[in-house]
Amino acid sequence: MTELEPLPAGEDPAFEAVMAKVLRGGLYTSIVLIIVGLAISAVGGLPSIDFGGVPSVHAGSPLGSWGALVVFLGLLLLVLTPVFRVGCATFLFARAKDRAFTAITLFVLVVLVATFVVGALR
Amino acid sequence: MDTLALAGYAVPIAVAIALLFVVAIAAGTLGSLLGLGGGLVLVPALVLLFNIEIHLAVAASLVSVIATSTGAASVQVESGFTNPRLGMFLETATAVGGLAGAILAVTILATHGQIVIAAFVPVVLGAAFYMYAQRGRDVDPDPPHDRLADRLQLGGRYPDPDGGGTRSYRITGTALGLTISGLAGVASGLLGIGGGLFKVPAMNSIMNTPMRVAGATSTFMIGVTAAAGALVYLFAGDVGLLITAPTAVGTILGSQIGSELRPRATTPFLKDVFVVVLLVAAASMLGEVLGVFP
């Protein structure tokens, strides 16, 4: 009788559970922020404030600024979630001593940062 | 109440947002099921519904692509359809391609945009014909051995919706698969179209990934490809919050529907829908080259 080969990191249920948790955590928190932000804007009860450094909060947005800031934070968290996911994978692969995949995920993180820098310099 | 001009009629903003929400649900469902971002549906919808500039539509669509990806992956990673190792392996190529695309966008897109888009049309058509020709086939039970794929243990197993239990598959063709994933990254960095259009056919036909797994794995990857671009748009103030918020929430809902449908969608059905999407993409790219759209 042959033994079943152990599953490599990334295919095993424990790894998948952590990935799913990171993704769901980011997703649910951002949905809550987006909806709360929209609700604050709809009620319009908070005084407006000036967010000099965050242009998106103003740009083309008829939302009240407090609500807009909360929506903006929700969208920011949403956009960062896949990046967190890659970072968590790096950590998990390193812990599993899977050197090839630790390097692969680190490489992806570095290229993502470089792409953001190139885009931001435009 | 504020109104918008929608196809020549004054429409209350609330109605336009409700319409957008419905379109976003459809885009999220289709995107998460096929492994696409959904920008193909969202960008025209945003431009038509809100009469906004194309780059604002692309920005909202990029955020929603991430919403689709995260929403679908949060379910499909655990259900076993996503192959995270294969996804992260190919992400190296899409990330490099995305970086190249972002650089090219500043340099050649401004001057030779039409030519760049035209160059991608035959690739999209080729993928459509290739997928149609192989519609009855899914994976080879004993593909040629690929040293890199074997060493990195890229193969996997997924739940068998028909017989119960799991089915395993072996990955092959890593060199060509990486090359096409890189091109997919260039296309998304350059044109904003989802790299899934190229990745899914490559994963299935060349790398021997089952169609259901290819779709789930592409969806998993797309969020990473879109992240850098979306961040840039977000900080540049190009993400209109009023249109992006409902679009993102709608695509998240749609991605849950698509994930629910995945076990039930058969391979020939997925391939047929994918061929139609590829043809629509080719037509819309041709239209852009020929100047049919404003």
Side-chain angles (χ1 to χ4, degrees), chain A residues 9-10 24 56 59 85 98 111, chain B residues 74 78 84-85 91 220 224 234 237:
Chain A
R24 267 200 294 269
S56 336
R85 188 266 283 167
D98 187 331
V111 177
Chain B
S74 70
E78 268 186 312
R85 286 177 81 87
E91 270 164 17
F220 174 77
V224 172
L234 204 54

Side-chain angles (χ1 to χ4, degrees), chain B residues 5-7 16 19-20 23-24 26-27 30 37-62 64-65 191-194 197 243 247 251 277 280-285 287-288 292-294:
Chain B
L6 173 60
L19 263 173
L20 179 63
V23 172
L30 192 70
L40 213 62
V41 179
L42 280 174
V43 175
L46 283 165
V47 171
L48 291 175
L49 275 175
F50 290 91
N51 200 23
I52 55 173
E53 280 176 61
I54 187 95
H55 78 278
L56 293 177
V58 169
S61 155
L62 265 179
S64 302
V65 165
L191 310 174
I193 61 165
L197 278 182
I243 54 166
T247 316
T251 46
V277 171
V280 170
S284 94
M285 288 161 91
E288 209 169 318
V292 179
F293 308 122

Side-chain angles (χ1 to χ4, degrees), chain B residues 24 31 61 118 173 184 200 209 218-219 269 291-292:
Chain B
S61 155
V200 174
T209 315
S218 172
T219 313
F269 170 78
V292 179

Side-chain angles (χ1 to χ4, degrees), chain B residues 89-107:
Chain B
F89 171 70
L90 293 177
E91 270 164 17
T92 55
T94 49
V96 172
L99 175 58
I103 296 169
L104 288 173
V106 198
T107 50

Side-chain angles (χ1 to χ4, degrees), chain A residues 2 10 18 20 23-24 28 30-31 33 49 58 75 88 90 93 95 99 107-108 121:
Chain A
T2 53
V18 174
L23 293 168
R24 267 200 294 269
Y28 293 159
S30 58
I31 294 178
L33 286 173
I49 44 168
H58 299 297
L75 292 175
C88 283
T90 310
F93 281 128
R95 213 175 52 176
R99 261 190 269 157
F107 176 76
V108 172
L121 289 178

Side-chain angles (χ1 to χ4, degrees), chain B residues 228-249:
Chain B
L231 268 181
V232 171
Y233 278 117
L234 204 54
F235 282 109
D238 283 338
V239 176
L241 301 181
L242 189 64
I243 54 166
T244 311
T247 316
V249 176

Side-chain angles (χ1 to χ4, degrees), chain B residues 32-209:
Chain B
S32 63
L33 192 57
L34 295 182
L36 307 170
L40 213 62
V41 179
L42 280 174
V43 175
L46 283 165
V47 171
L48 291 175
L49 275 175
F50 290 91
N51 200 23
I52 55 173
E53 280 176 61
I54 187 95
H55 78 278
L56 293 177
V58 169
S61 155
L62 265 179
V63 174
S64 302
V65 165
I66 296 173
T68 305
S69 170
T70 306
S74 70
V75 178
Q76 295 183 0
V77 166
E78 268 186 312
S79 69
F81 285 105
T82 307
N83 181 334
R85 286 177 81 87
L86 177 63
M88 290 187 240
F89 171 70
L90 293 177
E91 270 164 17
T92 55
T94 49
V96 172
L99 175 58
I103 296 169
L104 288 173
V106 198
T107 50
I108 54 167
L109 197 62
T111 47
H112 298 87
Q114 312 287 72
I115 299 170
V116 173
I117 296 169
F120 277 101
V121 174
V123 185
V124 176
L125 283 177
F129 284 120
Y130 200 62
M131 189 163 262
Y132 185 73
Q134 299 203 328
R135 73 179 289 272
R137 176 189 165 277
D138 196 18
V139 289
D140 185 346
D142 191 25
H145 272 280
D146 182 291
R147 272 179 57 197
L148 192 57
D150 291 348
R151 229 195 108 202
L152 294 177
Q153 298 176 283
L154 296 184
R157 48 194 87 168
Y158 70 108
D160 184 353
D162 311 314
T166 55
R167 265 193 229 184
S168 57
Y169 53 93
R170 209 169 71 227
I171 298 296
T172 189
T174 48
L176 195 52
L178 275 179
T179 310
I180 297 178
S181 298
L183 276 178
V186 174
S188 54
L190 194 54
L191 310 174
I193 61 165
L197 278 182
F198 305 107
K199 270 185 315 203
V200 174
M203 271 193 252
N204 179 245
S205 308
I206 296 163
M207 303 188 75
N208 202 47
T209 315

